[in-house]
Amino acid sequence: MTTAAAPDAQRGDDRDGRPGDGRPGEDEAGLRAALSGLTTRGRSFLAAGVAAGICAYVLGQGDLLRVGLLLAVLPLICVGVLHRTRYRVAGSRRLSPQRVPVGSEARVHLRMDNVSKLPTGLLMLQDHVPYMLGPRPRFVLDRVEAGGRREVSYRVRSDLRGRFPLGPLQLRLNDPFGMCELTRSFSAYDTLTVIPRTEPLPPVKLTGEAAGYGDGSLRSLALAGDDDIIPRAYRHGDDLRRVHWRSTARYGELMVRREEQPQRARCTVLLDTRAIGYQGAGPDSAFEWAVSGAASVLVHMLERGFSVRLLTDTGTAVPGEGAEGFAGTSQDAAEAAGLMMDTLAVVDHSDGAGLSRAYDVLRGGNEGLLVAFVGDLDDEQAALAARMRQRGGAAVAFVLDSGSWLTGGAVSGTVEERLRQLREAGWTALAVPPGARLAELWQRAGGLRAESASGETYGGWS
């Protein structure tokens, strides 16, 4: 929630809502702004008064001159009254919630407080929102008593993911006759984050013998002796009695002991964002399906106790902290989930350098279960993707044929060849036809992996 004070209507103020200090120059600027705020009605009255005055002078009609003076003076009086009005209002905006999936609605609550000792006149409230979120909301607030409050709300919805600024909030002041209108802006902004839509996935099991597999529960290893201690950097709030001085001297920064080292089953979600790998754009494109699929897998695996990281073809890993980019404790996982979803909300096509940077991150192994969402692959990229699967580790690939997503046809023979190449390398690879549901493909991947691993007795994931 953000709060800001609107400018004093008497003074010349900037867009940030900071009142002036009453100097003559600022007062003159405020008067010029008030004159420029004459409405069509006010300008018409002023023009009619001037015309009537000229006609009265030429024709020698005293009554017409009095009428002309009345018409000309009335809008100027309204400008002066509105310019000299002394009251201040404070406004706040609250989003509920601040992060919503694609296609869901968020409600924006606006609150206006009259913090002056005088009642306000008629106020027009307007909030600036991007056109993707809907029409610009406008509200008319009747007289607000001194110390009074008014609350209004509106809804926003987007079919596109992203981060959208809301604000600034604008306040329009009108005189009772509608001759003059002044606009003042608040300084506060808010940001609405629209994350990809996620799909609930069924519990399935993949077998594999990569380290760290199991049912996803935490296991603690008792550390015996100084040699088994794995130090980490000091964090605010750590007990100083846990400082490991030998490691502190070695690394040149304050290090603390880890009394127990939790091991969580790991999962790496690889998202291919190469522009060359996807054709088409929009909410129903292959690339948006891949982003939504990656978000669904991230949420599914986090709910089952896995330590998850998001990896893109650029080699960027999210959350990027903890051991090798994975979230550590349950609290870290909750924070990492929000960070990964925020990343997916704004992820876009990469420069198309290929999957080599992601391969460099994965070649060290110990990434746990690998789930990849990839677009069109040529021979070189397909061979590189095949080598990403580490020996003994479970790996699932969802390959999108973006050409078929444009035409609505069947999966091409080229994609079938890529699937065969990945399967020979040990991947559980599936083609993603247009409009496919990830839950069905997820279930099918579990069945295929179970068939290929029949007779093995390793732990799986669910």
Side-chain angles (χ1 to χ4, degrees):
M1 181 177 70
T2 58
T3 304
D8 193 319
Q10 176 205 10
R11 300 167 178 152
D13 306 302
D14 59 15
R15 288 179 57 87
D16 291 334
R18 295 172 298 203
D21 57 9
R23 291 177 295 183
E26 291 187 352
D27 194 67
E28 293 175 2
L31 183 58
R32 288 195 298 268
L35 287 172
S36 65
L38 281 171
T39 62
T40 302
R41 180 185 299 177
R43 295 176 187 274
S44 300
F45 268 65
L46 184 61
V50 172
I54 294 175
C55 293
Y57 176 78
V58 173
L59 300 177
Q61 298 291 329
D63 294 338
L64 183 60
L65 179 60
R66 286 190 289 271
V67 173
L69 289 176
L70 176 62
L71 294 177
V73 169
L74 182 60
L76 297 179
I77 292 177
C78 293
V79 168
V81 170
L82 196 61
H83 172 62
R84 301 302 299 181
T85 299
R86 294 176 178 270
Y87 61 83
R88 291 180 61 83
V89 293
S92 63
R93 181 192 299 107
R94 177 171 58 87
L95 301 181
S96 177
Q98 292 186 334
R99 184 188 291 122
V100 295
V102 169
S104 299
E105 290 185 343
R107 183 169 290 274
V108 183
H109 302 269
L110 303 177
R111 173 176 149 179
M112 302 295 301
D113 294 274
N114 183 10
V115 296
S116 65
K117 297 181 180 180
L118 296 175
T120 70
L122 188 68
L123 301 178
M124 296 183 63
L125 194 63
Q126 175 179 280
D127 205 6
H128 284 256
V129 301
Y131 71 92
M132 292 82 73
L133 299 183
R136 182 173 297 178
R138 295 181 175 90
F139 304 94
V140 177
L141 304 181
D142 203 354
R143 179 178 178 272
V144 183
E145 65 279 4
R149 174 189 305 170
R150 296 291 185 272
E151 295 183 2
V152 294
S153 65
Y154 64 93
R155 293 177 295 181
V156 291
R157 178 182 180 274
S158 176
D159 292 326
L160 299 174
R161 55 185 176 82
R163 292 172 62 87
F164 302 99
L166 300 178
L169 193 63
Q170 286 188 338
L171 193 65
R172 293 185 179 181
L173 314 176
N174 292 325
D175 66 277
F177 299 100
M179 298 289 181
C180 183
E181 179 181 277
L182 296 181
T183 301
R184 295 290 184 262
S185 295
F186 293 84
S187 59
Y189 288 81
D190 280 284
T191 301
L192 176 68
T193 303
V194 181
I195 61 177
R197 183 186 292 109
T198 59
E199 182 179 351
L201 303 180
V204 297
K205 175 174 289 189
L206 283 181
T207 57
E209 47 188 336
Y213 276 80
D215 59 1
S217 60
L218 294 177
R219 296 190 301 267
S220 299
L221 298 182
L223 299 180
D226 225 25
D227 295 336
D228 294 329
I229 294 176
I230 303 178
R232 61 169 174 83
Y234 174 83
R235 299 175 183 172
H236 179 71
D238 284 338
D239 190 348
L240 292 178
R241 291 175 297 181
R242 295 175 56 194
V243 173
H244 191 246
W245 298 108
R246 183 181 301 175
S247 298
T248 298
R250 176 181 178 184
Y251 292 102
E253 60 176 324
L254 203 59
M255 307 292 289
V256 296
R257 298 189 304 269
R258 296 186 183 183
E259 301 301 339
E260 57 182 21
Q261 178 67 20
Q263 289 189 348
R264 297 164 61 94
R266 291 180 170 184
C267 175
T268 297
V269 179
L270 172 63
L271 175 62
D272 177 17
T273 64
R274 296 172 300 120
I276 196 174
Y278 301 92
Q279 303 179 44
D284 298 325
S285 64
F287 179 67
E288 293 300 324
W289 191 97
V291 174
S292 179
S296 300
V297 173
L298 289 172
V299 172
H300 177 77
M301 302 308 293
L302 284 171
E303 289 176 349
R304 274 141 187 84
F306 275 67
S307 184
V308 184
R309 71 173 172 181
L310 171 67
L311 179 66
T312 66
D313 58 292
T314 62
T316 303
V318 182
E321 297 180 355
E324 301 178 4
F326 291 89
T329 64
S330 298
Q331 182 179 0
D332 292 337
E335 297 175 357
L339 182 59
M340 288 185 286
M341 296 304 288
D342 288 344
T343 301
L344 290 177
V346 297
V347 69
D348 203 353
H349 292 296
S350 64
D351 55 10
L355 301 174
S356 57
R357 286 174 288 187
Y359 173 75
D360 292 338
V361 176
L362 295 173
R363 65 190 304 176
N366 200 27
E367 75 279 356
L369 171 66
L370 177 60
V371 182
F373 293 85
V374 296
D376 300 330
L377 300 173
D378 55 21
D379 293 337
E380 179 182 357
Q381 298 304 315
L384 192 60
R387 295 198 300 270
M388 288 183 180
R389 188 256 179 182
Q390 300 297 322
R391 182 178 181 181
V396 181
F398 298 96
V399 183
L400 291 94
D401 181 11
S402 60
S404 66
W405 280 72
L406 284 178
T407 62
V411 176
S412 65
T414 303
V415 174
E416 295 293 346
E417 175 62 24
R418 302 296 180 234
L419 294 175
R420 184 191 61 79
Q421 189 173 354
L422 292 175
R423 288 166 183 165
E424 290 178 351
W427 285 80
T428 301
L430 295 91
V432 181
R437 293 186 65 251
L438 178 60
E440 297 176 356
L441 295 176
W442 189 255
Q443 185 76 46
R444 183 182 171 193
L448 291 176
R449 182 65 182 175
E451 293 176 3
S452 64
S454 59
E456 297 180 1
T457 58
Y458 303 113
W461 59 272
S462 59

mmCIF file with all atom_site columns, all heavy atoms in Angstrom, residues 340-358:
data_model
loop_
_atom_site.group_PDB
_atom_site.id
_atom_site.type_symbol
_atom_site.label_atom_id
_atom_site.label_alt_id
_atom_site.label_comp_id
_atom_site.label_asym_id
_atom_site.label_entity_id
_atom_site.label_seq_id
_atom_site.pdbx_PDB_ins_code
_atom_site.Cartn_x
_atom_site.Cartn_y
_atom_site.Cartn_z
_atom_site.occupancy
_atom_site.B_iso_or_equiv
_atom_site.pdbx_formal_charge
_atom_site.auth_seq_id
_atom_site.auth_comp_id
_atom_site.auth_asym_id
_atom_site.auth_atom_id
_atom_site.pdbx_PDB_model_num
ATOM 1   N N   . MET A 1 340 ? 11.015 -16.852 -8.479  1.00 0.00 ? 340 MET A N   1
ATOM 2   C CA  . MET A 1 340 ? 10.949 -17.549 -9.765  1.00 0.00 ? 340 MET A CA  1
ATOM 3   C C   . MET A 1 340 ? 9.701  -17.175 -10.545 1.00 0.00 ? 340 MET A C   1
ATOM 4   O O   . MET A 1 340 ? 9.749  -16.999 -11.766 1.00 0.00 ? 340 MET A O   1
ATOM 5   C CB  . MET A 1 340 ? 11.025 -19.059 -9.534  1.00 0.00 ? 340 MET A CB  1
ATOM 6   C CG  . MET A 1 340 ? 12.400 -19.550 -9.112  1.00 0.00 ? 340 MET A CG  1
ATOM 7   S SD  . MET A 1 340 ? 12.550 -21.343 -8.985  1.00 0.00 ? 340 MET A SD  1
ATOM 8   C CE  . MET A 1 340 ? 11.635 -21.651 -7.471  1.00 0.00 ? 340 MET A CE  1
ATOM 9   N N   . MET A 1 341 ? 8.578  -17.032 -9.861  1.00 0.00 ? 341 MET A N   1
ATOM 10  C CA  . MET A 1 341 ? 7.354  -16.640 -10.555 1.00 0.00 ? 341 MET A CA  1
ATOM 11  C C   . MET A 1 341 ? 7.459  -15.205 -11.070 1.00 0.00 ? 341 MET A C   1
ATOM 12  O O   . MET A 1 341 ? 6.974  -14.892 -12.162 1.00 0.00 ? 341 MET A O   1
ATOM 13  C CB  . MET A 1 341 ? 6.158  -16.788 -9.619  1.00 0.00 ? 341 MET A CB  1
ATOM 14  C CG  . MET A 1 341 ? 5.895  -18.224 -9.175  1.00 0.00 ? 341 MET A CG  1
ATOM 15  S SD  . MET A 1 341 ? 5.659  -19.387 -10.548 1.00 0.00 ? 341 MET A SD  1
ATOM 16  C CE  . MET A 1 341 ? 4.047  -18.887 -11.117 1.00 0.00 ? 341 MET A CE  1
ATOM 17  N N   . ASP A 1 342 ? 8.097  -14.331 -10.299 1.00 0.00 ? 342 ASP A N   1
ATOM 18  C CA  . ASP A 1 342 ? 8.309  -12.965 -10.784 1.00 0.00 ? 342 ASP A CA  1
ATOM 19  C C   . ASP A 1 342 ? 9.221  -12.956 -12.004 1.00 0.00 ? 342 ASP A C   1
ATOM 20  O O   . ASP A 1 342 ? 9.041  -12.145 -12.928 1.00 0.00 ? 342 ASP A O   1
ATOM 21  C CB  . ASP A 1 342 ? 8.922  -12.101 -9.679  1.00 0.00 ? 342 ASP A CB  1
ATOM 22  C CG  . ASP A 1 342 ? 7.931  -11.785 -8.572  1.00 0.00 ? 342 ASP A CG  1
ATOM 23  O OD1 . ASP A 1 342 ? 6.715  -11.968 -8.797  1.00 0.00 ? 342 ASP A OD1 1
ATOM 24  O OD2 . ASP A 1 342 ? 8.359  -11.373 -7.482  1.00 0.00 ? 342 ASP A OD2 1
ATOM 25  N N   . THR A 1 343 ? 10.210 -13.856 -12.016 1.00 0.00 ? 343 THR A N   1
ATOM 26  C CA  . THR A 1 343 ? 11.092 -13.951 -13.172 1.00 0.00 ? 343 THR A CA  1
ATOM 27  C C   . THR A 1 343 ? 10.331 -14.422 -14.399 1.00 0.00 ? 343 THR A C   1
ATOM 28  O O   . THR A 1 343 ? 10.505 -13.892 -15.510 1.00 0.00 ? 343 THR A O   1
ATOM 29  C CB  . THR A 1 343 ? 12.253 -14.911 -12.873 1.00 0.00 ? 343 THR A CB  1
ATOM 30  O OG1 . THR A 1 343 ? 12.985 -14.430 -11.740 1.00 0.00 ? 343 THR A OG1 1
ATOM 31  C CG2 . THR A 1 343 ? 13.195 -15.027 -14.065 1.00 0.00 ? 343 THR A CG2 1
ATOM 32  N N   . LEU A 1 344 ? 9.474  -15.427 -14.229 1.00 0.00 ? 344 LEU A N   1
ATOM 33  C CA  . LEU A 1 344 ? 8.686  -15.924 -15.350 1.00 0.00 ? 344 LEU A CA  1
ATOM 34  C C   . LEU A 1 344 ? 7.654  -14.908 -15.815 1.00 0.00 ? 344 LEU A C   1
ATOM 35  O O   . LEU A 1 344 ? 7.208  -14.967 -16.970 1.00 0.00 ? 344 LEU A O   1
ATOM 36  C CB  . LEU A 1 344 ? 7.989  -17.229 -14.954 1.00 0.00 ? 344 LEU A CB  1
ATOM 37  C CG  . LEU A 1 344 ? 8.896  -18.440 -14.769 1.00 0.00 ? 344 LEU A CG  1
ATOM 38  C CD1 . LEU A 1 344 ? 8.098  -19.647 -14.296 1.00 0.00 ? 344 LEU A CD1 1
ATOM 39  C CD2 . LEU A 1 344 ? 9.631  -18.775 -16.081 1.00 0.00 ? 344 LEU A CD2 1
ATOM 40  N N   . ALA A 1 345 ? 7.257  -13.992 -14.941 1.00 0.00 ? 345 ALA A N   1
ATOM 41  C CA  . ALA A 1 345 ? 6.282  -12.981 -15.336 1.00 0.00 ? 345 ALA A CA  1
ATOM 42  C C   . ALA A 1 345 ? 6.838  -12.047 -16.404 1.00 0.00 ? 345 ALA A C   1
ATOM 43  O O   . ALA A 1 345 ? 6.077  -11.516 -17.221 1.00 0.00 ? 345 ALA A O   1
ATOM 44  C CB  . ALA A 1 345 ? 5.824  -12.184 -14.119 1.00 0.00 ? 345 ALA A CB  1
ATOM 45  N N   . VAL A 1 346 ? 8.157  -11.847 -16.411 1.00 0.00 ? 346 VAL A N   1
ATOM 46  C CA  . VAL A 1 346 ? 8.760  -10.888 -17.336 1.00 0.00 ? 346 VAL A CA  1
ATOM 47  C C   . VAL A 1 346 ? 9.745  -11.539 -18.292 1.00 0.00 ? 346 VAL A C   1
ATOM 48  O O   . VAL A 1 346 ? 10.399 -10.831 -19.064 1.00 0.00 ? 346 VAL A O   1
ATOM 49  C CB  . VAL A 1 346 ? 9.458  -9.758  -16.552 1.00 0.00 ? 346 VAL A CB  1
ATOM 50  C CG1 . VAL A 1 346 ? 8.450  -8.971  -15.742 1.00 0.00 ? 346 VAL A CG1 1
ATOM 51  C CG2 . VAL A 1 346 ? 10.550 -10.313 -15.644 1.00 0.00 ? 346 VAL A CG2 1
ATOM 52  N N   . VAL A 1 347 ? 9.887  -12.867 -18.260 1.00 0.00 ? 347 VAL A N   1
ATOM 53  C CA  . VAL A 1 347 ? 10.866 -13.508 -19.130 1.00 0.00 ? 347 VAL A CA  1
ATOM 54  C C   . VAL A 1 347 ? 10.485 -13.302 -20.592 1.00 0.00 ? 347 VAL A C   1
ATOM 55  O O   . VAL A 1 347 ? 9.310  -13.306 -20.970 1.00 0.00 ? 347 VAL A O   1
ATOM 56  C CB  . VAL A 1 347 ? 10.968 -15.019 -18.800 1.00 0.00 ? 347 VAL A CB  1
ATOM 57  C CG1 . VAL A 1 347 ? 9.706  -15.766 -19.197 1.00 0.00 ? 347 VAL A CG1 1
ATOM 58  C CG2 . VAL A 1 347 ? 12.197 -15.628 -19.467 1.00 0.00 ? 347 VAL A CG2 1
ATOM 59  N N   . ASP A 1 348 ? 11.479 -13.081 -21.413 1.00 0.00 ? 348 ASP A N   1
ATOM 60  C CA  . ASP A 1 348 ? 11.257 -12.839 -22.839 1.00 0.00 ? 348 ASP A CA  1
ATOM 61  C C   . ASP A 1 348 ? 12.277 -13.642 -23.630 1.00 0.00 ? 348 ASP A C   1
ATOM 62  O O   . ASP A 1 348 ? 13.120 -14.348 -23.064 1.00 0.00 ? 348 ASP A O   1
ATOM 63  C CB  . ASP A 1 348 ? 11.381 -11.349 -23.144 1.00 0.00 ? 348 ASP A CB  1
ATOM 64  C CG  . ASP A 1 348 ? 10.637 -10.955 -24.414 1.00 0.00 ? 348 ASP A CG  1
ATOM 65  O OD1 . ASP A 1 348 ? 10.140 -11.864 -25.119 1.00 0.00 ? 348 ASP A OD1 1
ATOM 66  O OD2 . ASP A 1 348 ? 10.553 -9.751  -24.713 1.00 0.00 ? 348 ASP A OD2 1
ATOM 67  N N   . HIS A 1 349 ? 12.210 -13.517 -24.948 1.00 0.00 ? 349 HIS A N   1
ATOM 68  C CA  . HIS A 1 349 ? 13.129 -14.261 -25.790 1.00 0.00 ? 349 HIS A CA  1
ATOM 69  C C   . HIS A 1 349 ? 14.563 -13.799 -25.567 1.00 0.00 ? 349 HIS A C   1
ATOM 70  O O   . HIS A 1 349 ? 14.829 -12.605 -25.369 1.00 0.00 ? 349 HIS A O   1
ATOM 71  C CB  . HIS A 1 349 ? 12.765 -14.083 -27.264 1.00 0.00 ? 349 HIS A CB  1
ATOM 72  C CG  . HIS A 1 349 ? 11.468 -14.736 -27.642 1.00 0.00 ? 349 HIS A CG  1
ATOM 73  N ND1 . HIS A 1 349 ? 11.273 -16.097 -27.576 1.00 0.00 ? 349 HIS A ND1 1
ATOM 74  C CD2 . HIS A 1 349 ? 10.302 -14.214 -28.077 1.00 0.00 ? 349 HIS A CD2 1
ATOM 75  C CE1 . HIS A 1 349 ? 10.046 -16.388 -27.965 1.00 0.00 ? 349 HIS A CE1 1
ATOM 76  N NE2 . HIS A 1 349 ? 9.431  -15.261 -28.270 1.00 0.00 ? 349 HIS A NE2 1
ATOM 77  N N   . SER A 1 350 ? 15.478 -14.749 -25.611 1.00 0.00 ? 350 SER A N   1
ATOM 78  C CA  . SER A 1 350 ? 16.894 -14.442 -25.440 1.00 0.00 ? 350 SER A CA  1
ATOM 79  C C   . SER A 1 350 ? 17.511 -14.097 -26.785 1.00 0.00 ? 350 SER A C   1
ATOM 80  O O   . SER A 1 350 ? 16.844 -14.070 -27.822 1.00 0.00 ? 350 SER A O   1
ATOM 81  C CB  . SER A 1 350 ? 17.610 -15.634 -24.802 1.00 0.00 ? 350 SER A CB  1
ATOM 82  O OG  . SER A 1 350 ? 17.559 -16.764 -25.661 1.00 0.00 ? 350 SER A OG  1
ATOM 83  N N   . ASP A 1 351 ? 18.842 -13.866 -26.761 1.00 0.00 ? 351 ASP A N   1
ATOM 84  C CA  . ASP A 1 351 ? 19.534 -13.452 -27.977 1.00 0.00 ? 351 ASP A CA  1
ATOM 85  C C   . ASP A 1 351 ? 19.768 -14.587 -28.954 1.00 0.00 ? 351 ASP A C   1
ATOM 86  O O   . ASP A 1 351 ? 20.329 -14.382 -30.019 1.00 0.00 ? 351 ASP A O   1
ATOM 87  C CB  . ASP A 1 351 ? 20.870 -12.796 -27.609 1.00 0.00 ? 351 ASP A CB  1
ATOM 88  C CG  . ASP A 1 351 ? 21.725 -13.716 -26.742 1.00 0.00 ? 351 ASP A CG  1
ATOM 89  O OD1 . ASP A 1 351 ? 21.369 -14.899 -26.589 1.00 0.00 ? 351 ASP A OD1 1
ATOM 90  O OD2 . ASP A 1 351 ? 22.737 -13.238 -26.208 1.00 0.00 ? 351 ASP A OD2 1
ATOM 91  N N   . GLY A 1 352 ? 19.369 -15.801 -28.587 1.00 0.00 ? 352 GLY A N   1
ATOM 92  C CA  . GLY A 1 352 ? 19.498 -16.913 -29.524 1.00 0.00 ? 352 GLY A CA  1
ATOM 93  C C   . GLY A 1 352 ? 20.888 -17.490 -29.617 1.00 0.00 ? 352 GLY A C   1
ATOM 94  O O   . GLY A 1 352 ? 21.266 -18.041 -30.651 1.00 0.00 ? 352 GLY A O   1
ATOM 95  N N   . ALA A 1 353 ? 21.695 -17.358 -28.550 1.00 0.00 ? 353 ALA A N   1
ATOM 96  C CA  . ALA A 1 353 ? 23.053 -17.904 -28.578 1.00 0.00 ? 353 ALA A CA  1
ATOM 97  C C   . ALA A 1 353 ? 23.072 -19.419 -28.454 1.00 0.00 ? 353 ALA A C   1
ATOM 98  O O   . ALA A 1 353 ? 24.132 -20.020 -28.556 1.00 0.00 ? 353 ALA A O   1
ATOM 99  C CB  . ALA A 1 353 ? 23.883 -17.267 -27.465 1.00 0.00 ? 353 ALA A CB  1
ATOM 100 N N   . GLY A 1 354 ? 21.945 -20.037 -28.214 1.00 0.00 ? 354 GLY A N   1
ATOM 101 C CA  . GLY A 1 354 ? 21.895 -21.490 -28.106 1.00 0.00 ? 354 GLY A CA  1
ATOM 102 C C   . GLY A 1 354 ? 21.851 -21.948 -26.663 1.00 0.00 ? 354 GLY A C   1
ATOM 103 O O   . GLY A 1 354 ? 21.760 -21.149 -25.722 1.00 0.00 ? 354 GLY A O   1
ATOM 104 N N   . LEU A 1 355 ? 21.951 -23.272 -26.493 1.00 0.00 ? 355 LEU A N   1
ATOM 105 C CA  . LEU A 1 355 ? 21.846 -23.880 -25.172 1.00 0.00 ? 355 LEU A CA  1
ATOM 106 C C   . LEU A 1 355 ? 23.199 -24.118 -24.510 1.00 0.00 ? 355 LEU A C   1
ATOM 107 O O   . LEU A 1 355 ? 23.271 -24.787 -23.482 1.00 0.00 ? 355 LEU A O   1
ATOM 108 C CB  . LEU A 1 355 ? 21.106 -25.226 -25.292 1.00 0.00 ? 355 LEU A CB  1
ATOM 109 C CG  . LEU A 1 355 ? 19.692 -25.166 -25.875 1.00 0.00 ? 355 LEU A CG  1
ATOM 110 C CD1 . LEU A 1 355 ? 19.148 -26.576 -26.079 1.00 0.00 ? 355 LEU A CD1 1
ATOM 111 C CD2 . LEU A 1 355 ? 18.769 -24.372 -24.974 1.00 0.00 ? 355 LEU A CD2 1
ATOM 112 N N   . SER A 1 356 ? 24.252 -23.578 -25.077 1.00 0.00 ? 356 SER A N   1
ATOM 113 C CA  . SER A 1 356 ? 25.592 -23.876 -24.568 1.00 0.00 ? 356 SER A CA  1
ATOM 114 C C   . SER A 1 356 ? 25.796 -23.337 -23.155 1.00 0.00 ? 356 SER A C   1
ATOM 115 O O   . SER A 1 356 ? 26.432 -23.987 -22.323 1.00 0.00 ? 356 SER A O   1
ATOM 116 C CB  . SER A 1 356 ? 26.656 -23.297 -25.509 1.00 0.00 ? 356 SER A CB  1
ATOM 117 O OG  . SER A 1 356 ? 26.479 -21.896 -25.661 1.00 0.00 ? 356 SER A OG  1
ATOM 118 N N   . ARG A 1 357 ? 25.257 -22.154 -22.856 1.00 0.00 ? 357 ARG A N   1
ATOM 119 C CA  . ARG A 1 357 ? 25.460 -21.598 -21.524 1.00 0.00 ? 357 ARG A CA  1
ATOM 120 C C   . ARG A 1 357 ? 24.696 -22.396 -20.467 1.00 0.00 ? 357 ARG A C   1
ATOM 121 O O   . ARG A 1 357 ? 25.173 -22.567 -19.342 1.00 0.00 ? 357 ARG A O   1
ATOM 122 C CB  . ARG A 1 357 ? 25.035 -20.128 -21.506 1.00 0.00 ? 357 ARG A CB  1
ATOM 123 C CG  . ARG A 1 357 ? 26.024 -19.214 -22.215 1.00 0.00 ? 357 ARG A CG  1
ATOM 124 C CD  . ARG A 1 357 ? 25.535 -17.806 -22.315 1.00 0.00 ? 357 ARG A CD  1
ATOM 125 N NE  . ARG A 1 357 ? 24.462 -17.665 -23.281 1.00 0.00 ? 357 ARG A NE  1
ATOM 126 C CZ  . ARG A 1 357 ? 23.935 -16.499 -23.655 1.00 0.00 ? 357 ARG A CZ  1
ATOM 127 N NH1 . ARG A 1 357 ? 24.388 -15.372 -23.125 1.00 0.00 ? 357 ARG A NH1 1
ATOM 128 N NH2 . ARG A 1 357 ? 22.958 -16.450 -24.539 1.00 0.00 ? 357 ARG A NH2 1
ATOM 129 N N   . ALA A 1 358 ? 23.516 -22.868 -20.808 1.00 0.00 ? 358 ALA A N   1
ATOM 130 C CA  . ALA A 1 358 ? 22.791 -23.733 -19.880 1.00 0.00 ? 358 ALA A CA  1
ATOM 131 C C   . ALA A 1 358 ? 23.524 -25.061 -19.699 1.00 0.00 ? 358 ALA A C   1
ATOM 132 O O   . ALA A 1 358 ? 23.568 -25.616 -18.595 1.00 0.00 ? 358 ALA A O   1
ATOM 133 C CB  . ALA A 1 358 ? 21.372 -23.978 -20.384 1.00 0.00 ? 358 ALA A CB  1
#
